[in-house]
Amino acid sequence: MTAVQKQMRRGVPSPPPEALRDDHRFAAWAAEAAGRVLLDLRDSGLAGKELKDAGDLRSHEVLMELFARYAPADSVLSEEQHRGTAGRHDRHTARRVWIIDPVDGTREYSEPPRDDWAVHVALWQDGELAAGAVSQPALGRTFHTGSAPAARKPATARPRIAVSRTRPPAFVEELAAELGADLAPMGSAGVKVISVVRGITDAYVHAGGQYEWDSAAPVAVARSAGLFTSRIDGTPLVYNQPEVLLPDLLVCRPELAAPILDHLATHPINH
């Protein structure tokens, strides 16, 4: 028995019966299980790059073990798997593929007590995102497609746009000026998308390069909450593709979609 399996037996209980019957709740339970392991690891004394690397690997191992145990016929696309960790099954021929990001926002994860990092678990089935969960372990909350809240009304009269706290792109500053919006810096792509679901912000626009695992789960949750999602040219976000690079996206309140897309169509973006 591996060290990870021993830790799982101690710290990760069996899923509740409803999680085994419902993909939405299974996604949420799996994300929360990985999140608990990450919180324990965060308190272990590791720091900096060691904590980042250990968190990515440990969360990936936990999630892969859970899928092997409870969804053995499904395929998995993970950020860590893409880096070279062996996976199961061929996702290109599978009907069901779990798309996961074991730690979204490793920088923030490695900077306790920051809470703007997440675990992403999404299910792609027959060409569409069928379920998804974004767990924010340090916040003690998980948002999933089985009970996603309707997107809340804006918290302020001026729109707020979520941006990277370390490298906000210039094109978003131009967009904010045209919309009369304020910028809200935060970490983790998933946290930014969920901030729109929670009504903390009104839009998240990204064009700096991402991968499918960065957005699959949060986009699934955003869609179930009634938000608008697309590429920045207005075309649909498509997942489980041969090329996993999905470099841009827009998630926003429906009434902001047209003015944002109009602006992006007429203003060149330097990636």
Side-chain angles (χ1 to χ4, degrees):
M1 182 182 296
T2 68
V4 171
Q5 289 170 327
K6 290 178 181 178
Q7 181 176 23
M8 287 182 60
R9 286 195 172 184
R10 294 195 303 269
V12 181
S14 297
E18 59 269 21
L20 295 178
R21 299 190 299 265
D22 185 297
D23 290 327
H24 307 286
R25 284 167 173 74
F26 181 78
W29 172 78
E32 289 172 352
R36 285 192 294 271
V37 171
L38 285 166
L39 288 175
D40 288 344
L41 188 62
R42 209 184 197 196
D43 292 335
S44 69
L46 294 178
K49 188 177 186 302
E50 283 189 318
L51 179 57
K52 290 179 184 179
D53 293 345
D56 276 331
L57 180 59
R58 185 70 57 82
S59 182
H60 169 79
E61 290 176 332
V62 167
L63 288 168
M64 293 299 287
E65 177 69 20
L66 294 179
F67 293 128
R69 188 185 304 182
Y70 298 110
D74 297 344
S75 184
V76 180
L77 170 62
S78 169
E79 178 176 14
E80 294 305 300
Q81 176 192 57
H82 188 67
R83 289 176 178 174
T85 304
R88 309 185 331 273
H89 309 305
D90 182 0
R91 68 181 179 88
H92 302 297
T93 59
R95 288 189 58 242
R96 290 165 54 92
V97 180
W98 294 94
I99 303 175
I100 63 174
D101 191 343
V103 186
D104 183 59
T106 52
R107 178 195 296 266
E108 288 73 27
Y109 171 68
S110 70
E111 297 177 356
R114 295 195 69 94
D115 60 23
D116 50 344
W117 54 277
V119 179
H120 295 178
V121 176
L123 173 63
W124 176 96
Q125 182 172 334
D126 297 329
E128 299 290 343
L129 292 177
V134 176
S135 179
Q136 292 185 237
L139 195 63
R141 298 191 67 180
T142 298
F143 305 86
H144 67 90
T145 48
S147 63
R152 294 184 179 181
K153 293 182 179 179
T156 62
R158 287 170 59 90
R160 304 190 76 211
I161 302 175
V163 295
S164 169
R165 71 184 182 98
T166 57
R167 50 187 185 280
F171 83 88
V172 176
E173 296 178 353
E174 296 173 359
L175 172 64
E178 180 164 314
L179 295 180
D182 296 316
L183 300 181
M186 60 187 73
S188 167
V191 168
K192 294 183 186 77
V193 172
I194 296 302
S195 74
V196 188
V197 174
R198 296 172 63 196
I200 296 172
T201 65
D202 304 287
Y204 172 44
V205 189
H206 179 82
Q210 285 183 345
Y211 295 90
E212 290 191 11
W213 47 77
D214 291 310
S215 65
V219 163
V221 176
R223 289 175 178 173
S224 69
L227 294 171
F228 176 87
T229 69
S230 77
R231 299 284 301 272
I232 61 171
D233 61 0
T235 57
L237 292 156
V238 182
Y239 293 89
N240 195 34
Q241 298 299 292
E243 172 53 67
V244 296
L245 181 67
L246 191 57
D248 56 70
L249 83 160
L250 165 62
V251 177
C252 67
R253 300 184 62 82
E255 67 272 18
L256 289 177
I260 290 175
L261 288 173
D262 288 347
H263 174 88
L264 296 176
T266 56
H267 291 73
I269 295 174
N270 295 318
H271 293 272

